Amino acid sequence: MKSTVYLVGAGPGDARLLTLRGAELLRRADVVIYDALANPELLRLAPPTAEFVSRGKNMSMPQAEITALIIQRARAGKTVVRLKGGDPFVFGRGGEEAEALAAEKIPFEIVPGVSSITAVPNYAGIPLTHREHCSSFTVFTGHSDSTEQATALRYDQIAKIPGTKVVLMGTERLEEWSQSLIANGMSAQTPIAVIHRGTTGRQKAVTGTLATIAALAAKEKIAPPALTILGDVVKLRGKLNWFENRPLFGRRIVVTRRTEQAGSFAHRLAELGADVLEVPTIKITTPLEKDAIVDCLLELNSYDWLVFTSANGVTMFFDIFFRRFQDLRDLGGARIAAVGPATAAKLRELHLQVDLTPEEFTGRKIAEAFKKYQDIENVKMCLLRAEVANRDLPDALAELGAIVDDIAIYKTVPETEDHGGACERLLEEGADWVTFTSSSTVEHFHARFDLPKLIKKFPALKIASIGPETSKAIAALKLKPALEAKEHTTDGLIAALLKAAK
Ligand code: SAH
């Protein structure tokens, strides 16, 4: 049994530049074999049960071994996604891997990726072509081995080609090839930019001239991966540098919410330019006790109210619901209450209208909000909450005469994996901010990383808290948040971070 191997371009760094086809294939991969250049965040698209094989930093796994592994897994009937940085057919040995598959008669498909060649100049604010400056661009590698005849570069010819030039893998021999171009007649004044980790929150650019760039890049410690752009168009960067001008650019911010929830908060930070490290400390799973959930699903029609107290509760409930029912109408005619704006938003995403959104979050206040809505004597309510949840709410509702089923629809457990590689980065490089959105994220983060110790190691690391409850948990560790959001929502937290960045 043979299956198809997909050579997929992962895009240049920004995970969102993956193609739709690439995403579709990752979602059904059995095996994902990826290079260091492919953004590891993309691995989260694949089923958690998939096998993940990293080629390692500096491509520590030899090419022959990678090819053999791809072939072996394909022969075993697995759907293999071979994820390569940028485009698979641009300096990525995608050609060689495809040849090996063809020789073995293993079916393969190649999914183009957004190459760093065009994406990195885009994010650096440098148009590759421009009617006033040039009408062509040339791409070459600065790493080519001059002793290999077939692929050796002719700097004498390159120096004479008009238009913009893009150099890949050019940092290690920058001095050598830049001098070579000058020696061959190219102007020493040619504007040039070297861009490290373009399209990511870690983008760093150095600009100069062909004569000065090697020394400047060395001074700024520019390491691979970096791409170099030569030509007059580099001057446009002064006007067009949209990416690095975003308000949180250059700030590394740790997001400690659960993976399933982090999406939007982390995404908004990234859109503002932050280098976001998603380091979830807990994840949600189904509770051990499933009988109560089954009973509740069988009786859904008998409830007057379904009450959700968290976005997780909503997600988990509908996961379980749709595993059992095919038709949304099986939800019955109960009214829906949502505690907190995020919970209500999650329900609206599912096109469900929320009948009641209590303004305050204590059990008593919520019960009062219900009472204001209707007399809840003998009204049947189903609370869909976490396994270990405070008794205040069900007690307060029962006190007012409601018949309450308190169903544990999910439980939280510590997160121990590091799929996106963010933990590793945090422990190696530190960050500017660590954000906490609840007291439980503080406690779980501390359990995983020892917060005071982390701050000792990275003294520049500051704490951002969503509100007083969270700050209390931080104070319990004898630490103080550098900022606390005025409005106790993730939007409020973002506003505070923006203010601090000014
Ligand atoms: N197939 C890839 C290129 C692989 S060769 C593509 O299409 O983009 C690796 C080289 O690509 C690096 O040495 C660097 O020159 C360039 N590169 C890839 N991603 C980059 C990024 N995010 N920023 C800067 N250069 C990048």
Side-chain angles (χ1 to χ4, degrees), residues 147-194:
T147 57
E148 264 187 46
Q149 286 296 320
T151 54
L153 288 170
R154 296 281 307 273
Y155 287 103
D156 56 333
Q157 291 180 346
I158 293 174
K160 292 187 180 65
I161 310 172
T164 308
K165 293 175 186 63
V166 176
V167 191
L168 273 73
M169 295 176 279
T171 32
E172 272 151 356
R173 301 190 186 174
L174 182 56
E175 170 90 44
E176 195 180 318
W177 63 255
S178 55
Q179 290 308 318
S180 198
L181 287 174
I182 295 175
N184 281 292
M186 208 167 152
S187 163
Q189 300 311 315
T190 310
I192 185 166
V194 183

Side-chain angles (χ1 to χ4, degrees), residues 257-296:
R257 307 187 98 183
R258 259 177 269 61
T259 318
E260 289 88 339
Q261 259 184 12
S264 71
F265 178 49
H267 184 214
R268 275 175 291 157
L269 288 172
E271 280 195 328
L272 290 165
D275 179 15
V276 180
L277 296 183
E278 282 186 61
V279 183
T281 51
I282 42 180
K283 62 184 170 194
I284 61 170
T285 62
T286 38
L288 282 179
E289 171 57 55
K290 295 204 175 61
D291 291 353
I293 300 178
V294 172
D295 288 348
C296 137

Side-chain angles (χ1 to χ4, degrees), residues 12-13 37 84-92 114-117 120 167-170 195-200 224-228:
L37 264 186
K84 300 168 85 69
D87 183 275
F89 273 7
V90 173
F91 297 123
V114 173
S115 175
S116 62
I117 294 174
V120 173
V167 191
L168 273 73
M169 295 176 279
I195 297 124
H196 170 72
R197 290 202 186 276
T199 80
T200 72
L227 176 142
T228 310

Side-chain angles (χ1 to χ4, degrees), residues 4 9 18 33 48 50 70 78 84-85 125 310 334 337 368 435 450 457 490:
T4 306
L18 179 75
I33 304 171
I70 298 172
K78 308 279 188 198
K84 300 168 85 69
S310 70
E368 275 169 17
T435 59
D450 191 333
K457 185 168 168 201
T490 51

Side-chain angles (χ1 to χ4, degrees), residues 102-147:
E104 298 288 330
K105 301 203 160 44
I106 293 172
F108 62 89
E109 185 182 309
I110 300 170
V111 182
V114 173
S115 175
S116 62
I117 294 174
T118 54
V120 173
N122 265 303
Y123 278 53
I126 302 171
L128 286 178
T129 68
H130 190 292
R131 288 206 319 175
E132 283 163 31
H133 299 278
C134 63
S135 52
S136 72
F137 63 90
T138 306
V139 180
F140 62 97
T141 165
H143 203 77
S144 137
D145 193 338
S146 47
T147 57

Side-chain angles (χ1 to χ4, degrees), residues 27-109:
R27 281 195 195 101
R28 58 174 213 243
D30 297 316
V31 185
V32 183
I33 304 171
Y34 60 100
D35 288 348
L37 264 186
N39 188 333
E41 276 173 38
L42 292 173
L43 303 178
R44 295 200 313 218
L45 289 174
T49 49
E51 180 191 4
F52 297 96
V53 183
S54 160
R55 174 115 196 238
K57 278 187 182 156
N58 306 318
M59 303 206 225
S60 44
M61 194 191 271
Q63 184 63 47
E65 220 173 284
I66 286 275
T67 311
L69 182 72
I70 298 172
I71 292 170
Q72 196 277 332
R73 293 296 190 272
R75 288 237 167 90
K78 308 279 188 198
T79 298
V80 181
V81 168
R82 171 75 176 104
L83 196 60
K84 300 168 85 69
D87 183 275
F89 273 7
V90 173
F91 297 123
R93 305 186 74 161
E96 288 162 57
E97 287 174 16
E99 276 182 315
L101 293 167
E104 298 288 330
K105 301 203 160 44
I106 293 172
F108 62 89
E109 185 182 309

